Amino acid sequence: MTGTRSALAWLASMAPDPRACRRQWERDPKSVALLPAGKAWDVLFLPGALGYPTLDVLSRLLDRLGPVLAGSGDARLGFLVPPGTAARWVGTGVRGAGLGTWIVVPYPDRSAGTVRWLVPPDGTGTLTDPALLELAMHEAAALAGRREDDG
C-alpha cells in the first residue's frame, strides 16, 4: 500500500490542485484524472503491435521500469519519459504528449478499464529512458521481422 500511496502523491502533485486530485481518487479509485504532461514527464504513445513487444524487451533489460499506460482497448501504449522528450522525438507512428497537453491517468494501482497501468508508477519518479526505449523498439521490430521471415 505504501507504494500506491507514494505513487498517488507523485501523480497528484502534477495536478493543478493536487489535494482535490488525491481526494477524488481516494473517494473513487475507479475514476481518472486529467494531468498535464511536460511537467514531470512526457508520454510517448506506441501502437499496441509495437508497444507490447517493446515493453517485453524492456522488461528483460531492466529491473525497474518506468510507468506504462494502456488505452484505447490496448491499441496504444504510453511510456512515461523525461519532460522534453516528446518535442525532440522523431519516429513514424509514435505520438508524443509534452508541454501543453493533458493525459487521462487512472488511479495508480488500477489494472482494468479503458485506461489502465501496465506498469504502475512506484512513486519514486522513475521514467523510461528514451534511448533505451528506442533501442527496445528496434529490437522488438527486428524480432517481429524475424518471426515473419520464419513463418
Side-chain angles (χ1 to χ4, degrees), residues 8 12 17 31 37-38 49 57 66 78-80 102 107 109-110 140 144 149-150:
L8 178 72
D17 185 345
S31 67
V57 170
F79 292 81
L80 274 66
W102 294 78
Y107 186 83
D109 69 355
R110 186 160 158 210
D149 290 344
D150 292 342

Side-chain angles (χ1 to χ4, degrees), residues 49-61 134-151:
L50 178 59
Y52 279 100
T54 298
L55 179 57
D56 185 50
V57 170
L58 284 172
S59 297
R60 287 179 293 179
L61 293 174
E134 184 176 12
L135 290 172
M137 289 170 59
H138 288 290
E139 178 66 18
L143 288 170
R146 279 187 231 132
R147 280 190 215 112
E148 286 178 12
D149 290 344
D150 292 342

Side-chain angles (χ1 to χ4, degrees), residues 80-131:
L80 274 66
V81 294
T85 301
R88 295 185 307 272
W89 190 269
V90 178
T92 303
V94 177
R95 285 187 21 231
L99 197 58
T101 59
W102 294 78
I103 305 298
V104 174
V105 179
Y107 186 83
D109 69 355
R110 186 160 158 210
S111 59
T114 306
V115 178
R116 61 192 176 95
W117 292 107
L118 295 177
V119 179
D122 61 9
T124 65
T126 299
L127 300 170
T128 300
D129 180 303

Side-chain angles (χ1 to χ4, degrees), residues 29-51:
K30 292 182 180 180
S31 67
V32 294
L34 196 57
L35 299 178
K39 184 175 179 184
W41 37 260
D42 284 359
V43 184
L44 294 179
F45 292 99
L46 281 63
L50 178 59

